[in-house]
Amino acid sequence: MKSWAQVYVPPIDSRFNFPALSVKNSSTQELLQLPIKDIYRMYVCGITPYDATHLGHAATYITFDLINRYLLAMGKKVLFVENVTDVDDPLLERAIRDGVDWRDLAISQIELFRSDMTNLHVIPPVDFIGAVESIPLVIDCVEDLMTKNAVYDVEGDLYFSVRRDPEFGSRSKLPTTVMMEISAQRGGDPKRVGKRDPLDPLLWMKERSGDPSWPGSLGSGRPGWHIECCAIALKYLHCDRAEEFLIDIQGGGSDLIFPHHEMGASQARILSGKPYARAYVHAGMIGLDGEKMSKSLGNLVFLSKLIESGADPMAVRIALMSRNYGDDDMWHESRLDTATQLLNRLQSLLGRSDVAPTDSVISQIIVSLSENLDTPKVIDLLNQWCTSTETGLRGGNAGELARAIDTLLGIAI
Ligand code: ZN
């Protein structure tokens, strides 16, 4: 489907040196230094379009935008693909609750998401792909999984057999009891009678009365969530079988570690015979004033509402970057105030002709980003540079720093 508006990324001078990027790999809980190569493949799980875009979404997509920007600034090609789950239970349930057509709800929320991403200056994916448009791909994948004895039928619904993957569980590393609990909370049906393993996820749901469905060789029905992302990633990331891993980065919020990313990786493993992602990278959850931000508590902070109330999207971006991306964190309005102060300072100082030295701050920003996106350190560096300029240090190039901040951090001054 149509992505959002392309973002201009200024070039960065070749005298700046880019160390290899390290990211925290959730499957090992350790830092992983990405090998230097010409092409990186990154898949980021997108929204289910019924409630776009709260601050948790914004924090996640900014995180992967920083990775994308770093690799692009290194001069590499980044195949970046993101999906939109434009048919799934939460969307259908919300449409029924609100008395609207699920397609209209999806279209309106996807449009809002595009506008939010544009406001946040997030570079759009190379391919932005919807679940509905991917149904033929899903059907092909399920048929392929059938030939590999990884599919079975429960009253017309098709399930993936996790036991077919000897490495099942290796990416999320959770005890079975925890997996069972989370599966039930996040769309799974571990108690359904007739399943070979309670954790087996749905690949294809047989048509239910009143639900949308699509005809085909699997019978009339609709796709499961995990196989959707797996099918899109395998097709649009043009995986190179000569590589050790099918893709470099599987990204998303930390609530996707299990079951979503475990299942996607298992399915891709069975389909291809190869390990799926080199690194599973996850952004932490954002809470509000000491409480988890959730639909049920009704305390989601939406980006569009913040912007309507006068917040500068670049200040929101800075505020979300003042934390380590992987940490769960609390949002307070004071965060936005502090970020707005830094943004105002940068806007004012970068308009001057005489500023504090900039080469060293740009180099240090690059190094900090290479170390698992140490954005709190980056914010410190920017504050220190502002103070140095305000106290009269000179010798820098304001234009070059402004461009570097735009290129590397996505902050357009
Ligand atoms: Zn996904």
Side-chain angles (χ1 to χ4, degrees):
M1 64 172 63
K2 180 169 72 81
S3 191
W4 55 92
Q6 197 49 254
V7 172
Y8 173 68
V9 182
I12 196 153
D13 194 277
S14 59
R15 73 182 185 284
F16 292 106
N17 185 35
F18 281 77
L21 176 65
S22 290
V23 288
K24 189 175 168 198
N25 186 3
S26 302
S27 70
T28 59
Q29 289 295 305
E30 285 174 0
L31 286 187
L32 181 141
Q33 190 178 80
L34 294 176
I36 302 286
K37 53 212 277 269
D38 295 332
I39 300 178
Y40 293 89
R41 295 175 172 80
M42 177 164 78
Y43 187 88
V44 177
C45 288
I47 56 161
T48 299
Y50 63 99
D51 235 357
T53 308
H54 58 68
L55 284 180
H57 292 137
T60 295
Y61 299 116
I62 287 170
T63 298
F64 294 97
D65 188 50
L66 290 171
I67 292 177
N68 195 13
R69 284 173 179 276
Y70 190 89
L71 296 173
L72 290 170
M74 285 176 95
K76 307 302 182 185
K77 182 169 181 178
V78 185
L79 295 177
F80 163 33
V81 175
E82 185 172 318
N83 70 305
V84 179
T85 305
D86 57 356
V87 60
D88 201 6
D89 291 343
L91 171 69
L92 300 174
E93 285 160 14
R94 176 61 64 93
I96 289 168
R97 190 201 77 175
D98 294 352
V100 294
D101 187 282
W102 63 275
R103 283 160 291 219
D104 294 338
L105 176 60
I107 288 167
S108 68
Q109 294 299 301
I110 294 167
E111 199 45 46
L112 182 58
F113 181 70
R114 288 189 186 106
S115 133
D116 289 338
M117 291 300 105
T118 302
N119 279 325
L120 283 176
H121 221 213
V122 171
I123 299 173
V126 176
D127 287 298
F128 187 51
I129 308 292
V132 171
E133 64 184 316
S134 312
I135 286 173
L137 289 179
V138 169
I139 292 174
D140 285 351
C141 282
V142 175
E143 284 182 340
D144 198 355
L145 285 170
M146 281 173 171
T147 68
K148 295 174 166 75
N149 295 320
V151 183
Y152 64 93
D153 179 305
V154 179
E155 299 170 288
D157 295 330
L158 301 180
Y159 281 87
F160 172 69
S161 181
V162 296
R163 290 181 205 164
R164 285 286 294 133
D165 175 22
E167 288 166 27
F168 177 74
S170 64
R171 302 92 181 176
S172 47
K173 291 194 170 54
L174 296 168
T176 306
T177 48
V178 177
M179 287 199 277
M180 296 277 277
E181 218 173 283
I182 300 179
S183 166
Q185 290 162 8
R186 296 183 186 156
D189 53 2
K191 293 198 169 145
R192 182 164 187 189
V193 176
K195 288 172 66 176
R196 289 183 192 162
D197 187 299
L199 294 171
D200 289 344
L202 200 59
L203 290 166
W204 187 257
M205 184 194 277
K206 186 182 157 187
E207 181 178 359
R208 309 286 201 263
S209 148
D211 267 12
S213 63
W214 288 264
S217 56
L218 306 177
S220 193
R222 62 182 165 97
W225 175 33
H226 315 307
I227 192 67
E228 166 202 335
C229 282
C230 174
I232 294 172
L234 294 183
K235 159 88 176 171
Y236 289 95
L237 285 171
H238 307 288
C239 305
D240 178 353
R241 297 297 173 115
E243 290 231 20
E244 190 182 352
F245 296 90
L246 292 170
I247 71 170
D248 293 291
I249 293 174
Q250 162 71 75
S254 60
D255 53 344
L256 301 186
I257 293 175
F258 189 85
H260 189 51
H261 289 169
E262 186 69 53
M263 298 303 178
S266 270
Q267 290 161 352
R269 183 91 171 91
I270 301 296
L271 284 167
S272 68
K274 289 182 73 90
Y276 182 51
R278 187 185 302 278
Y280 297 85
V281 182
H282 293 101
M285 299 286 106
I286 306 287
L288 176 67
D289 297 331
E291 285 204 87
K292 192 173 175 247
M293 216 185 270
S294 75
K295 291 180 281 292
S296 52
L297 290 171
N299 63 349
L300 295 173
V301 176
F302 291 98
L303 182 71
S304 49
K305 294 274 183 304
L306 269 186
I307 295 174
E308 262 171 48
S309 68
D312 186 318
M314 292 299 100
V316 177
R317 191 161 171 129
I318 291 173
L320 290 170
M321 283 166 47
S322 65
R323 55 185 262 284
N324 283 110
Y325 75 88
D327 293 346
D328 291 340
D329 200 15
M330 285 297 153
W331 176 260
H332 294 281
E333 263 189 43
S334 61
R335 272 279 164 88
L336 192 56
D337 297 339
T338 309
T340 304
Q341 280 166 23
L342 174 58
L343 182 64
N344 291 342
R345 264 174 115 190
L346 286 169
Q347 282 166 339
S348 149
L349 298 174
L350 288 169
R352 293 190 189 176
S353 51
D354 280 335
V355 294
T358 44
D359 265 25
S360 128
V361 70
I362 294 171
S363 296
Q364 288 179 77
I365 289 172
I366 293 170
V367 169
S368 303
L369 288 170
S370 76
E371 294 169 347
N372 194 30
L373 305 179
D374 188 352
T375 49
K377 174 85 182 291
V378 169
I379 303 288
D380 281 350
L381 288 165
L382 291 174
N383 274 310
Q384 285 162 22
W385 179 85
C386 289
T387 304
S388 299
T389 299
E390 284 157 357
T391 52
L393 276 180
R394 296 293 176 258
N397 179 336
E400 189 161 57
L401 179 57
R403 287 193 294 278
I405 289 173
D406 190 347
T407 305
L408 297 166
L409 308 177
I411 299 166
I413 301 291

